[in-house]
Amino acid sequence: MIHSLFLVNASGDIFLEKHWKSVVSRSVCDYFFEALERATEPENVPPVIPTPHHYLINVLRHRIYFVAVIQSEVPPLFVIEFLHRVVDTFQDYFGVCTEAAIKDNVVVVYELLEEMLDNGFPLATESNILKELIKPPTILRTVVNTITGSTNVGEQLPTGQLSVVPWRRTGVKYTNNEAYFDVVEEIDAIIDKSGSTITAEIQGVVDACVKLTGMPDLTLSFMNPRLLDDVSFHPCVRFKRWEAERILSFIPPDGNFRLLSYHVSSQNLVAIPVYVKHNISFREGSSQGRFELTLGPKQTMGKAVESVLVSSQLPRGVLNANLNASQGTYTFDPVTKLLSWDVGKINPQKLPSLKGSVSLQAGAFKPDENPTINIQFKIQQLAISGLKVNRLDMYGEKYKPFKGIKYMTKAGKFQVRT
Amino acid sequence: MTDSKYFTTTKKGEIFELKAELNSDKKEKKKEAVKKVIASMTVGKDVSALFPDVVNCMQTDNLELKKLVYLYLMNYAKSQPDMAIMAVNTFVKDCEDPNPLIRALAVRTMGCIRVDKITEYLCEPLRKCLKDEDPYVRKTAAVCVAKLHDINAQLVEDQGFLDTLKDLISDSNPMVVANAVAALSEIAESHPNSNLLDLNPQTINKLLTALNECTEWGQIFILDCLANYTPRDDRESQSICERVTPRLSHANSAVVLSAVKVLMKFMEMLPKDLDYYGTLLKKLAPPLVTLLSAEPELQYVALRNINLIVQKRPEILKHEMKVFFVKYNDPIYVKLEKLDIMIRLASQANIAQVLAELKEYATEVDVDFVRKAVRAIGRCAIKVEQSAERCVSTLLDLIQTKVNYVVQEAIVVIKDIFRKYPNKYESVIATLCENLDSLDEPEARAAMIWIVGEYAERIDNADELLESFLEGFHDESTQVQLQLLTAIVKLFLKKPTETQELVQQVLSLATQDSDNPDLRDRGYIYWRLLSTDPVAAKEVVLAEKPLISEETDLIEPTLLEELICHIGTLASVYHKPPSAFVEGSRGVQHRRIPPRAGSVESAESPEVGQSGSSEAPPAVIPSQGDLLGDLLNLDLAPPTATVPSVQPSMQMGAMDLLGGGLDSLLGGDIGGSPSMGAGLGAAPTVMPAALGGAPAVGGGLGDLFDLGGGVGMPTGFYVVPKTLWLPAMKAKGLEISGTFARRGGIIQMDMSLTNKAMSVMTDFAIQFNRNSFGMAPAGPLQVLTPLSPNQTIDVSLPLSTNGPVMKMEPLNNLQVAVKNNIDVFYFSCQFPLSLLFVEDGKMERQVFLATWKDIPNDNEAQFQIKDVHLNSDAASNKLQGSNIFTIAKRTVEGQDMLYQSIKLTNSIWVLAEMRVQTGNPNYTLSIKCRAPEVCQFVYQCYEMVLKN
């Protein structure tokens, strides 16, 4: 199983190590550093690196490499999933997952890692169980602890670990009982230069924030559950009921959790909410190129497209860009050649555009590659797949909870080729 | 306010300060001090000096402090074993604590103290905890058994913990079951043969029940364990599949992939006409696609596994091509994997889309990726015939971009396309020629030269083009040099009149000015061919080439099957069997997909049936009796059969095989005249055309061939038909059958190497273990061309007998190691002793008599040879062929007494008396030798020779 964990920061220093079995010398990370050096970009480091006696499996999150060391045949996905869980837990506990935050809370970090893995076997990875064992640091608690000498570590057996619903602790009490669900969809798409869709798919999630007293049993039904043919559930969802009736029935964890994630594949028709008109051309022998970009909404069901951000990696030969934005602001970084344009909201009456010229290095050849345009946007109150929640019911408890559902569509990896 | 303050103490005397704080009376101060110690430990500072002080803090009611001290203990117990004993008492006490959290914590920490002395004290508390009433303690104790096993395996077995652990599989709590399975799996990894996880339908049922209720990590352990089970029949297989399928919807990708593994393995057993089979296939696609929307690291692992799944069952993802389209900001490792899968999924239905994508990729920034994309276009052309034309025009478009590395890659793949579709796309040659000057990579240059040579008749200025390359001949890489040589010879054969000078120039460059033996050999053979028989030369050099195969880079089926059983593991990421790289797993079990129940399907999936039991029957090729027979046979062979199958890699074209032949010819030449046979024997099937011209050889360099003329052997040495030595099953697809022969005083090992795998084999080499007679290869194994799938090649290896000697049991046992690019394989075979009978084994009569008397009678052995229908003269003649010489013959009372002598290579003399009674098919044989252990084997030779 997982032998050791090293945390490496962006400048290549190991700032934390944890061993669950015998101690593995940190020199094992040299192989990782070699791979890091070879990689052109920080994210191009291969996830699995073999060394003579160990395997290094790493993930890069928040500019920190989490490098796990394994010695025997362990499913790499198991390790990667676990590392993600570590990141999530840190973020949950400290708000952010940065080197500074980890260093500030090193004792808690150590306690957490110790609880999460035993001899390399996962022990407690559910956030609510961990929080019973080790209380998250808050300023108030730190002050209180210093004065009273009490500790962050819970005295009680984490009851949830033994019950049949390990994800929920017992004895939850709220004065305001509320359950919120966010349906968030991300569109991943590749649009070719003529504007037709090469591939488009939707990654959707239903995130929940449930603060309900006692042991509520919820059911959630959709208007069009047909859309959901490729779903992954939180362990709390009763799979049989879904198979039979297409109803989500579950005892929710306390607090924030991801109820389900789904995938609407490219074989279904996916609506594309924005279009881009572009004209980027370089002429042979000239040191100038033309750059024109216009954005417009399409298939948005009347909802506004907001927080639009366009970015594009211009060819290496580009020296500078001299452009005019009809709205928003643009920046061009002459070192990384990254052009980004913060558009804001798209007004269908007056389409935003970015026009002007780019200058090339004198005497340089016409660039071979065509820049790809990356677009980010948000549409409130719309799930682009058309998914709609029908109703939410609660059983097992007497009170009336407050319920709320929100929809949002975002761009995932939304790319337009030119 | 934060913990970072613990890091700030860097001044000297820090340890001293901490020591004081640890011994403070104030609880709070103590705790702060321990925290500081832990912080120093995390950053790798050595705080082991504080061991006794920290351990003193252990006796506390404060849980946090206890935990911190435990943390410290785990880290440093190893370096301070004597001190660590002090902690034992506290552990034993904590294991009885009323609070299960404390009990569990104690048992957990105990197992992490890797000190032998301590482990003994921990057995009792552990035993109690394994039977604890609280499941939380039990599940923690289960893991502790695995820890203990890691430290002291014998102790765990002696204490019977393994049985307790097995009992926990039937525990009522799913978490306990999951941890027990995990612990057992880990222990089993170091005990490949123990039946720790003895799976039967009852345990399987328990595991499946626990599967639904345990945590995601537990599900992974249980699924991985299930994958090792072999269901009894298809019904059981189906019911397991049904209960595993819901796991495909789990949010944890590791659970999903483990479930995919179980399903992929078990569905192999389901009859294909079953409705459920189809349903299952459909259910597999969505979760795999979903994995690709996860983080790049997960995607990478998923893609490596999908690569396997696509090769095994392309139908699952055949409609999902689009999800493999590359996004420009994917990490490079994801891009390359996606590209590979795209090619595997390419078919007539989606080729247009794929090509458009590939063309797009060819304009990206990353050079490696662009190169691979261009290659992919070529592979598509070869794979999907209908698309070839489009691929070629796409490649031409790319050549027009004039981007240097794109052009070079394009030319390399166009060469392959020409090979696959001859006489179809040659119109593009003109465009290619325009780019001649920009080529600077050897592979691209070689490809271009091949094209020019192959189509010399259509290129008006082919001679000029080739001549331009010739100027810097010695600066080129070997690949290019060889290609240039072949191309110019081709050109000469096509346009003999105007290129004579050119060909002479290149031949002299290759043969006289080059240090490279390959190049020289090839040059010589061309020279010879051209000077003796231009017609034969044409037949050889311009022979029609076999088509190149469509699929490349396929994983060999047996390996693929094993990898399918290891989906989700490191093995699946590296596409290598676990035995090949996992350290510490002493002998990994090879996993096999269970054979399908309904045999109706076996025709559809032959690889499954084959994997089960049947080995392919050994192909017995009776080897030719002697040199003359060989020559005659070769002469008769039609020239069309002469060109051995040529590899897709054109730089090792047909000519190389001939080069190899020549190599051994030359070798034979040096050894003196009788060894001619060895030379010819070396590559009998590969060079018939060359030999066809041999008798007519006149002057010049041709005298090499003349050597064959005078050599002849009186009678044939009896050669046993080839037997299967190394079955393909055991050698990753390499099958070796062979025999031994003695030809013209040289011992030869004749082998047929057959490639039954899917990929090309190269880099053959051979070695012998020390053996009784010091046999050793006298030269390298001459397999000069890569061995392509389903190809068989016959090689003859000359052996010497002056290698290292070690007595073997039996005496004539020979242990052989054969290496190729895939692995090293071992086998052993037995040679007939007659191999070692030398030609000058005829003893003087007087010497014979004296020796016979000299050898004590104890050393005499008597044998009966039954059912021989030969008279004594015929027998004597036959034996002489195997260097058993009759010295004298006496006839006494109707019995012929033959006195015979044999000399072995190590100068041991064997004397024999054979009594033959006319009309009686049974001979009596008495053998005398100073080394009596050989008698038995000499007798076997007699029997073998006389009966065949």
Side-chain angles (χ1 to χ4, degrees), chain B residues 410-438:
Chain B
I411 286 179
V412 172
V413 296
I414 285 182
K415 178 252 312 174
D416 285 340
I417 296 176
F418 282 171
R419 286 288 313 278
K420 169 83 180 175
Y421 309 109
N423 303 320
K424 236 173 145 180
Y425 301 109
E426 282 72 16
S427 51
V428 308
I429 289 174
T431 324
L432 302 185
C433 290
E434 288 165 17
N435 293 288
L436 216 56
D437 300 333
S438 65

mmCIF file of all heavy atoms in Angstrom, chain B residues 410-438:
data_model
loop_
_atom_site.group_PDB
_atom_site.id
_atom_site.type_symbol
_atom_site.label_atom_id
_atom_site.label_comp_id
_atom_site.label_asym_id
_atom_site.label_seq_id
_atom_site.Cartn_x
_atom_site.Cartn_y
_atom_site.Cartn_z
ATOM 1 N N ALA B 410 6.453 12.710 -42.413
ATOM 2 C CA ALA B 410 5.521 12.379 -43.490
ATOM 3 C C ALA B 410 6.198 11.452 -44.495
ATOM 4 O O ALA B 410 5.604 10.476 -44.963
ATOM 5 C CB ALA B 410 5.037 13.659 -44.169
ATOM 6 N N ILE B 411 7.449 11.732 -44.797
ATOM 7 C CA ILE B 411 8.138 10.893 -45.779
ATOM 8 C C ILE B 411 8.332 9.487 -45.246
ATOM 9 O O ILE B 411 8.151 8.494 -45.953
ATOM 10 C CB ILE B 411 9.468 11.554 -46.194
ATOM 11 C CG1 ILE B 411 9.123 12.724 -47.114
ATOM 12 C CG2 ILE B 411 10.382 10.567 -46.893
ATOM 13 C CD1 ILE B 411 10.274 13.512 -47.610
ATOM 14 N N VAL B 412 8.633 9.385 -43.964
ATOM 15 C CA VAL B 412 8.794 8.056 -43.384
ATOM 16 C C VAL B 412 7.500 7.250 -43.500
ATOM 17 O O VAL B 412 7.516 6.080 -43.860
ATOM 18 C CB VAL B 412 9.248 8.158 -41.909
ATOM 19 C CG1 VAL B 412 9.236 6.807 -41.260
ATOM 20 C CG2 VAL B 412 10.624 8.766 -41.829
ATOM 21 N N VAL B 413 6.374 7.890 -43.231
ATOM 22 C CA VAL B 413 5.131 7.113 -43.294
ATOM 23 C C VAL B 413 4.670 6.864 -44.731
ATOM 24 O O VAL B 413 4.071 5.846 -45.021
ATOM 25 C CB VAL B 413 3.981 7.729 -42.466
ATOM 26 C CG1 VAL B 413 4.321 7.721 -41.012
ATOM 27 C CG2 VAL B 413 3.624 9.106 -42.924
ATOM 28 N N ILE B 414 4.984 7.783 -45.608
ATOM 29 C CA ILE B 414 4.592 7.568 -47.010
ATOM 30 C C ILE B 414 5.312 6.339 -47.560
ATOM 31 O O ILE B 414 4.747 5.554 -48.320
ATOM 32 C CB ILE B 414 4.888 8.831 -47.856
ATOM 33 C CG1 ILE B 414 3.838 9.886 -47.544
ATOM 34 C CG2 ILE B 414 4.876 8.512 -49.338
ATOM 35 C CD1 ILE B 414 3.962 11.151 -48.337
ATOM 36 N N LYS B 415 6.529 6.159 -47.125
ATOM 37 C CA LYS B 415 7.265 4.959 -47.533
ATOM 38 C C LYS B 415 6.469 3.706 -47.173
ATOM 39 O O LYS B 415 6.334 2.775 -47.977
ATOM 40 C CB LYS B 415 8.638 4.970 -46.868
ATOM 41 C CG LYS B 415 9.496 3.783 -47.153
ATOM 42 C CD LYS B 415 9.640 2.866 -45.950
ATOM 43 C CE LYS B 415 9.991 3.576 -44.684
ATOM 44 N NZ LYS B 415 9.993 2.756 -43.504
ATOM 45 N N ASP B 416 5.928 3.688 -45.949
ATOM 46 C CA ASP B 416 5.129 2.531 -45.524
ATOM 47 C C ASP B 416 3.866 2.394 -46.369
ATOM 48 O O ASP B 416 3.428 1.293 -46.671
ATOM 49 C CB ASP B 416 4.748 2.652 -44.049
ATOM 50 C CG ASP B 416 5.928 2.346 -43.147
ATOM 51 O OD1 ASP B 416 6.878 1.704 -43.629
ATOM 52 O OD2 ASP B 416 5.897 2.758 -41.977
ATOM 53 N N ILE B 417 3.294 3.522 -46.709
ATOM 54 C CA ILE B 417 2.074 3.472 -47.514
ATOM 55 C C ILE B 417 2.390 2.884 -48.891
ATOM 56 O O ILE B 417 1.629 2.073 -49.428
ATOM 57 C CB ILE B 417 1.449 4.876 -47.639
ATOM 58 C CG1 ILE B 417 1.008 5.344 -46.256
ATOM 59 C CG2 ILE B 417 0.285 4.879 -48.607
ATOM 60 C CD1 ILE B 417 0.456 6.742 -46.204
ATOM 61 N N PHE B 418 3.524 3.263 -49.446
ATOM 62 C CA PHE B 418 3.937 2.673 -50.728
ATOM 63 C C PHE B 418 4.054 1.158 -50.601
ATOM 64 O O PHE B 418 3.706 0.410 -51.508
ATOM 65 C CB PHE B 418 5.292 3.233 -51.162
ATOM 66 C CG PHE B 418 5.209 4.621 -51.751
ATOM 67 C CD1 PHE B 418 6.360 5.348 -52.032
ATOM 68 C CD2 PHE B 418 3.984 5.198 -52.037
ATOM 69 C CE1 PHE B 418 6.290 6.617 -52.572
ATOM 70 C CE2 PHE B 418 3.909 6.460 -52.582
ATOM 71 C CZ PHE B 418 5.060 7.174 -52.835
ATOM 72 N N ARG B 419 4.592 0.736 -49.494
ATOM 73 C CA ARG B 419 4.760 -0.700 -49.302
ATOM 74 C C ARG B 419 3.415 -1.406 -49.246
ATOM 75 O O ARG B 419 3.242 -2.516 -49.729
ATOM 76 C CB ARG B 419 5.520 -0.992 -47.993
ATOM 77 C CG ARG B 419 6.986 -0.704 -48.053
ATOM 78 C CD ARG B 419 7.699 -1.723 -48.913
ATOM 79 N NE ARG B 419 7.297 -3.094 -48.586
ATOM 80 C CZ ARG B 419 7.797 -3.789 -47.587
ATOM 81 N NH1 ARG B 419 8.702 -3.261 -46.826
ATOM 82 N NH2 ARG B 419 7.387 -5.014 -47.365
ATOM 83 N N LYS B 420 2.476 -0.755 -48.583
ATOM 84 C CA LYS B 420 1.169 -1.388 -48.397
ATOM 85 C C LYS B 420 0.359 -1.352 -49.692
ATOM 86 O O LYS B 420 -0.342 -2.302 -50.007
ATOM 87 C CB LYS B 420 0.434 -0.665 -47.267
ATOM 88 C CG LYS B 420 -1.017 -1.024 -47.128
ATOM 89 C CD LYS B 420 -1.215 -2.296 -46.336
ATOM 90 C CE LYS B 420 -2.698 -2.607 -46.238
ATOM 91 N NZ LYS B 420 -2.986 -3.864 -45.602
ATOM 92 N N TYR B 421 0.409 -0.254 -50.391
ATOM 93 C CA TYR B 421 -0.373 -0.134 -51.621
ATOM 94 C C TYR B 421 0.570 0.135 -52.784
ATOM 95 O O TYR B 421 0.707 1.285 -53.215
ATOM 96 C CB TYR B 421 -1.382 1.010 -51.511
ATOM 97 C CG TYR B 421 -2.231 0.940 -50.271
ATOM 98 C CD1 TYR B 421 -2.050 1.844 -49.232
ATOM 99 C CD2 TYR B 421 -3.219 -0.047 -50.137
ATOM 100 C CE1 TYR B 421 -2.824 1.775 -48.081
ATOM 101 C CE2 TYR B 421 -3.989 -0.115 -48.986
ATOM 102 C CZ TYR B 421 -3.787 0.796 -47.968
ATOM 103 O OH TYR B 421 -4.538 0.729 -46.829
ATOM 104 N N PRO B 422 1.220 -0.888 -53.280
ATOM 105 C CA PRO B 422 2.184 -0.634 -54.348
ATOM 106 C C PRO B 422 1.468 -0.138 -55.609
ATOM 107 O O PRO B 422 0.311 -0.488 -55.839
ATOM 108 C CB PRO B 422 2.845 -1.997 -54.583
ATOM 109 C CG PRO B 422 2.195 -2.957 -53.668
ATOM 110 C CD PRO B 422 1.097 -2.281 -52.938
ATOM 111 N N ASN B 423 2.169 0.661 -56.372
ATOM 112 C CA ASN B 423 1.672 1.135 -57.664
ATOM 113 C C ASN B 423 0.364 1.899 -57.571
ATOM 114 O O ASN B 423 -0.513 1.765 -58.389
ATOM 115 C CB ASN B 423 1.479 -0.046 -58.627
ATOM 116 C CG ASN B 423 2.772 -0.797 -58.784
ATOM 117 O OD1 ASN B 423 3.839 -0.193 -58.862
ATOM 118 N ND2 ASN B 423 2.675 -2.109 -58.774
ATOM 119 N N LYS B 424 0.200 2.671 -56.537
ATOM 120 C CA LYS B 424 -1.046 3.409 -56.419
ATOM 121 C C LYS B 424 -0.806 4.903 -56.257
ATOM 122 O O LYS B 424 -1.508 5.706 -56.834
ATOM 123 C CB LYS B 424 -1.835 2.900 -55.228
ATOM 124 C CG LYS B 424 -3.233 2.444 -55.637
ATOM 125 C CD LYS B 424 -3.937 1.793 -54.490
ATOM 126 C CE LYS B 424 -5.417 2.108 -54.535
ATOM 127 N NZ LYS B 424 -6.108 1.477 -53.410
ATOM 128 N N TYR B 425 0.131 5.224 -55.424
ATOM 129 C CA TYR B 425 0.284 6.633 -55.084
ATOM 130 C C TYR B 425 1.620 7.192 -55.549
ATOM 131 O O TYR B 425 2.098 8.179 -55.010
ATOM 132 C CB TYR B 425 0.146 6.819 -53.580
ATOM 133 C CG TYR B 425 -1.173 6.333 -53.091
ATOM 134 C CD1 TYR B 425 -1.271 5.189 -52.327
ATOM 135 C CD2 TYR B 425 -2.335 7.010 -53.434
ATOM 136 C CE1 TYR B 425 -2.503 4.730 -51.902
ATOM 137 C CE2 TYR B 425 -3.563 6.565 -53.018
ATOM 138 C CZ TYR B 425 -3.651 5.416 -52.249
ATOM 139 O OH TYR B 425 -4.863 4.972 -51.844
ATOM 140 N N GLU B 426 2.203 6.539 -56.535
ATOM 141 C CA GLU B 426 3.544 6.964 -56.911
ATOM 142 C C GLU B 426 3.556 8.350 -57.535
ATOM 143 O O GLU B 426 4.605 8.969 -57.663
ATOM 144 C CB GLU B 426 4.185 5.956 -57.859
ATOM 145 C CG GLU B 426 4.706 4.730 -57.159
ATOM 146 C CD GLU B 426 3.610 3.800 -56.671
ATOM 147 O OE1 GLU B 426 2.461 3.962 -57.134
ATOM 148 O OE2 GLU B 426 3.877 2.940 -55.830
ATOM 149 N N SER B 427 2.369 8.850 -57.889
ATOM 150 C CA SER B 427 2.333 10.174 -58.494
ATOM 151 C C SER B 427 2.874 11.251 -57.545
ATOM 152 O O SER B 427 3.260 12.331 -57.982
ATOM 153 C CB SER B 427 0.904 10.517 -58.888
ATOM 154 O OG SER B 427 0.062 10.291 -57.784
ATOM 155 N N VAL B 428 2.894 10.931 -56.262
ATOM 156 C CA VAL B 428 3.338 11.971 -55.330
ATOM 157 C C VAL B 428 4.854 12.048 -55.224
ATOM 158 O O VAL B 428 5.391 12.923 -54.544
ATOM 159 C CB VAL B 428 2.759 11.755 -53.911
ATOM 160 C CG1 VAL B 428 1.258 11.589 -53.985
ATOM 161 C CG2 VAL B 428 3.388 10.548 -53.249
ATOM 162 N N ILE B 429 5.529 11.127 -55.886
ATOM 163 C CA ILE B 429 6.981 11.063 -55.713
ATOM 164 C C ILE B 429 7.642 12.404 -56.045
ATOM 165 O O ILE B 429 8.550 12.857 -55.349
ATOM 166 C CB ILE B 429 7.569 9.931 -56.572
ATOM 167 C CG1 ILE B 429 7.160 8.600 -55.977
ATOM 168 C CG2 ILE B 429 9.082 10.022 -56.631
ATOM 169 C CD1 ILE B 429 7.555 7.412 -56.784
ATOM 170 N N ALA B 430 7.107 13.035 -57.082
ATOM 171 C CA ALA B 430 7.711 14.295 -57.500
ATOM 172 C C ALA B 430 7.729 15.289 -56.343
ATOM 173 O O ALA B 430 8.747 15.941 -56.064
ATOM 174 C CB ALA B 430 6.935 14.875 -58.676
ATOM 175 N N THR B 431 6.586 15.364 -55.638
ATOM 176 C CA THR B 431 6.512 16.293 -54.506
ATOM 177 C C THR B 431 7.542 15.928 -53.451
ATOM 178 O O THR B 431 8.170 16.794 -52.840
ATOM 179 C CB THR B 431 5.109 16.223 -53.873
ATOM 180 O OG1 THR B 431 4.172 16.016 -54.914
ATOM 181 C CG2 THR B 431 4.813 17.457 -53.096
ATOM 182 N N LEU B 432 7.675 14.633 -53.231
ATOM 183 C CA LEU B 432 8.619 14.194 -52.203
ATOM 184 C C LEU B 432 10.040 14.612 -52.568
ATOM 185 O O LEU B 432 10.803 15.081 -51.726
ATOM 186 C CB LEU B 432 8.573 12.678 -52.034
ATOM 187 C CG LEU B 432 7.222 12.072 -51.655
ATOM 188 C CD1 LEU B 432 7.377 10.580 -51.405
ATOM 189 C CD2 LEU B 432 6.663 12.744 -50.426
ATOM 190 N N CYS B 433 10.353 14.420 -53.855
ATOM 191 C CA CYS B 433 11.717 14.706 -54.274
ATOM 192 C C CYS B 433 12.092 16.167 -54.052
ATOM 193 O O CYS B 433 13.258 16.486 -53.804
ATOM 194 C CB CYS B 433 11.903 14.349 -55.744
ATOM 195 S SG CYS B 433 11.881 12.572 -56.001
ATOM 196 N N GLU B 434 11.095 17.032 -54.093
ATOM 197 C CA GLU B 434 11.394 18.448 -53.890
ATOM 198 C C GLU B 434 11.993 18.695 -52.511
ATOM 199 O O GLU B 434 12.688 19.679 -52.289
ATOM 200 C CB GLU B 434 10.111 19.279 -54.013
ATOM 201 C CG GLU B 434 9.604 19.381 -55.428
ATOM 202 C CD GLU B 434 8.172 19.887 -55.462
ATOM 203 O OE1 GLU B 434 7.724 20.449 -54.441
ATOM 204 O OE2 GLU B 434 7.508 19.698 -56.489
ATOM 205 N N ASN B 435 11.657 17.814 -51.585
ATOM 206 C CA ASN B 435 12.077 18.068 -50.205
ATOM 207 C C ASN B 435 13.351 17.349 -49.808
ATOM 208 O O ASN B 435 13.708 17.304 -48.645
ATOM 209 C CB ASN B 435 10.964 17.670 -49.250
ATOM 210 C CG ASN B 435 9.769 18.566 -49.406
ATOM 211 O OD1 ASN B 435 9.805 19.718 -49.019
ATOM 212 N ND2 ASN B 435 8.741 18.047 -50.036
ATOM 213 N N LEU B 436 13.977 16.782 -50.815
ATOM 214 C CA LEU B 436 15.149 15.971 -50.555
ATOM 215 C C LEU B 436 16.193 16.684 -49.697
ATOM 216 O O LEU B 436 16.757 16.107 -48.772
ATOM 217 C CB LEU B 436 15.769 15.613 -51.903
ATOM 218 C CG LEU B 436 16.390 14.246 -52.034
ATOM 219 C CD1 LEU B 436 15.374 13.182 -51.683
ATOM 220 C CD2 LEU B 436 16.872 14.061 -53.455
ATOM 221 N N ASP B 437 16.395 17.949 -49.997
ATOM 222 C CA ASP B 437 17.506 18.648 -49.357
ATOM 223 C C ASP B 437 17.245 18.938 -47.894
ATOM 224 O O ASP B 437 18.164 19.074 -47.101
ATOM 225 C CB ASP B 437 17.768 19.977 -50.082
ATOM 226 C CG ASP B 437 18.119 19.710 -51.525
ATOM 227 O OD1 ASP B 437 18.641 18.614 -51.782
ATOM 228 O OD2 ASP B 437 17.841 20.578 -52.366
ATOM 229 N N SER B 438 15.970 19.036 -47.535
ATOM 230 C CA SER B 438 15.674 19.446 -46.155
ATOM 231 C C SER B 438 15.746 18.285 -45.177
ATOM 232 O O SER B 438 15.618 18.478 -43.984
ATOM 233 C CB SER B 438 14.289 20.084 -46.102
ATOM 234 O OG SER B 438 13.333 19.112 -46.428
#
